[in-house]
Amino acid sequence: MVSGKFTFFHGPTSNGNLHDNIMAQKKLIVIGGGAAGFFCAVNAARLNPKIEVVIVEKNNKILSKVSVSCGCRCNVTHSCFDIQELVKKYPRGQNFLKKSFHWFNTQHTIDWFEERGVTLATEADGRMFPITNTSQTIIDCLMKETNKYGVRINYSTEIIEIKKTDSVFELLTNSNQVIQADFICIACGGYPKSTQFEWLQKIGHHIETPVPSLFTFNVPQHPILQLMGVSVESAHIKITGTKLSNEGPLLITHWGFSGPAVLKLSAYAARVLAEKNYDFTILINWIKDYNEHSLRDEWIHIREKFAAQKVHSKNPFQVPNRLWQFLLQLCEIQEQQRWADITVKQQNQLIRLLTAHEFQVKGKTTFKEEFVTCGGIQLSEVEANTMQSKKMQNLFFAGEILDVDGITGGFNFQNAWTSGWLAAKSIAAL
């Protein structure tokens, strides 16, 4: 690992005077050593060997999110191949991505890694992982490309200011060094605070205010927390007072609710919930085959079918047994009580809890290693086909620094690969 003073790298020259070739060589500085930054760097160096490419990373490690993704397995992309369907997985940036995905989409990602010996396997829910089932495979692949094409990495170097004189960029580091570059790709990820974007606002770009996306719902001190670890295969969650809802696997945790259904809903509702200061009400339907009205219509048949059986021991709705017992306790249905003996009050309460269980959410939990922001560089200021800034020539963006974010399932990595590749292709052609 390299740290400390910045060292320039000059690639091999084919002929002529060595000094002249070095002086004529163009330089690309990629700010950020994550998925988007690496993908831009290795592809730019591959597509145009005459460009010197350097990744500048403010921390002492690279590809952090790739490393920890999905328990260190790395959810590389998602097996969604129709662009019209693919863009629906992005709460923000859909119109922008329609253009970008035309150039580099899911199939391109699969092919790119396949060509470098990395096979991706598709799971039942559509998520795609390296067949080795470890994120190290992706890291090794990217590092191999880095070494193959002479990309340099400079660790522990933060860019705090960008200036442009004529056609040359001057980048000021946190150690007061000045680095010159012909091209810049900013791929430093999302920032949780607006103030952290100030160095980009100074060069003329506007920011959509960042708020968290992909977080869990906290229900402090609620009795359901005793069911920590219980998962429901397919639950429906609705945020009251809005049209926002989602369906999918749900997990009860020691702080509230998690799982794909919750995380996806948090992404689509990111700005709405931020405005509510994460204090809102949700309704959960625990059973996928019924809503409140259809269950009421069906109830008499269910009751007749299981009339002589004890309610506690006969669960016709396929919800986890611990959850079923919990709901019956809330309805004060006794262990010896039969289906035929359920009172009207108990029946109405159980129907409501099964199909519209109300919870008051107060707060969220966001895991640092999976943090995703809603917000960033305004997309109207970036060319979707090239990732070049419309404000400043030869300045490019890639990844989460843009106001693009996807739901859980590999979609944020797909945006990283797409935007990184487009920036690289554009830079290599200049």
Side-chain angles (χ1 to χ4, degrees), residues 387-405:
M387 295 298 140
Q388 185 168 206
S389 165
K390 294 179 181 179
K391 298 279 188 176
M392 187 173 290
Q393 191 174 9
N394 295 340
L395 173 67
F396 297 78
F397 297 96
E400 204 181 321
I401 192 69
L402 295 162
D403 184 27
V404 174
D405 61 288

Side-chain angles (χ1 to χ4, degrees), residues 12-273:
T13 57
S14 57
N15 51 55
N17 184 280
L18 178 64
H19 177 75
D20 290 341
N21 281 332
I22 290 176
M23 293 301 292
Q25 190 175 33
K26 297 288 188 179
K27 186 182 285 88
L28 163 63
I29 299 296
V30 178
I31 303 174
F38 261 78
F39 217 62
C40 174
V42 298
N43 281 294
R46 175 180 61 88
L47 293 169
N48 189 341
K50 294 181 180 180
I51 297 179
E52 175 189 347
V53 182
V54 183
I55 297 173
V56 176
E57 169 56 48
K58 69 177 181 179
N59 298 308
N60 62 0
K61 56 183 178 180
I62 42 86
L63 297 169
S64 299
K65 282 192 175 182
V66 171
S67 177
V68 302
S69 168
C70 288
C72 300
R73 296 171 63 211
C74 189
N75 185 186
V76 176
T77 187
H78 200 98
S79 61
C80 183
F81 299 96
D82 182 271
I83 292 177
Q84 295 298 323
E85 288 301 313
L86 182 58
V87 297
K88 293 179 182 178
K89 309 302 182 182
Y90 296 84
R92 285 147 291 273
Q94 293 186 11
N95 292 331
F96 185 85
L97 291 174
K98 282 181 183 178
K99 299 176 182 178
S100 302
F101 285 150
H102 172 77
W103 300 102
F104 196 94
N105 51 54
T106 305
Q107 189 60 58
H108 294 105
T109 297
I110 296 170
D111 294 343
W112 193 93
F113 282 103
E114 181 75 37
E115 289 167 3
R116 288 154 183 82
V118 178
T119 301
L120 302 182
T122 306
E123 299 199 340
D125 59 4
R127 293 180 301 164
M128 301 191 74
F129 297 86
I131 201 168
T132 57
N133 218 28
T134 171
S135 58
Q136 191 61 45
T137 299
I138 303 301
I139 294 172
D140 290 345
C141 175
L142 293 172
M143 289 304 297
K144 184 178 180 181
E145 293 292 293
T146 300
N147 294 328
K148 181 178 180 180
Y149 295 107
V151 175
R152 291 288 297 236
I153 306 171
N154 195 47
Y155 298 86
S156 303
T157 302
E158 183 178 4
I159 303 301
I160 60 175
E161 187 176 6
I162 296 174
K163 293 182 179 180
K164 190 174 186 183
T165 305
D166 295 327
S167 60
V168 177
F169 290 97
E170 292 186 345
L171 292 74
L172 178 65
T173 74
N174 56 337
S175 59
N176 288 320
Q177 286 182 282
V178 176
I179 305 170
Q180 291 190 337
D182 300 284
F183 312 104
I184 299 175
C185 180
I186 298 175
C188 51
Y191 291 124
K193 299 179 181 179
S194 295
T195 53
Q196 293 174 288
F197 287 93
E198 287 180 356
W199 65 291
L200 297 175
Q201 290 174 308
K202 288 180 179 178
I203 58 176
H205 275 281
H206 296 84
I207 308 299
E208 293 293 343
T209 303
V211 298
S213 182
L214 297 183
F215 50 83
T216 64
F217 296 169
N218 295 354
V219 286
Q221 301 181 335
H222 195 283
I224 201 168
L225 299 182
Q226 66 187 270
L227 303 185
M228 176 185 66
V230 170
S231 61
V232 178
E233 181 180 341
S234 184
H236 185 272
I237 311 175
K238 177 178 173 56
I239 300 172
T240 62
T242 76
K243 295 182 179 180
L244 296 164
S245 65
N246 196 62
E247 183 176 306
L250 181 146
L251 174 67
I252 300 172
T253 71
H254 66 277
W255 58 80
F257 301 113
S258 186
V262 172
L263 296 176
K264 290 177 183 179
L265 182 56
S266 77
Y268 287 109
R271 293 208 175 277
V272 171
L273 299 184

Side-chain angles (χ1 to χ4, degrees), residues 328-389:
L328 296 182
Q329 290 172 12
L330 292 180
C331 299
E332 299 182 349
I333 295 176
Q334 305 304 311
E335 288 189 11
Q336 301 302 315
Q337 199 167 343
R338 301 178 307 161
W339 275 91
D341 302 327
I342 294 179
T343 67
V344 173
K345 179 180 178 181
Q346 290 172 331
Q347 167 190 303
N348 290 337
Q349 187 174 7
L350 184 55
I351 290 174
R352 181 178 57 81
L353 291 178
L354 283 167
T355 60
H357 199 165
E358 183 175 305
F359 295 91
Q360 185 65 36
V361 177
K362 291 184 177 294
K364 59 174 173 50
T365 296
T366 304
F367 300 105
K368 183 178 180 181
E369 63 270 17
E370 296 178 355
F371 186 83
V372 173
T373 55
C374 153
I377 299 292
Q378 288 185 358
L379 299 182
S380 61
E381 299 178 354
V382 180
E383 172 52 57
N385 295 296
T386 64
M387 295 298 140
Q388 185 168 206
S389 165

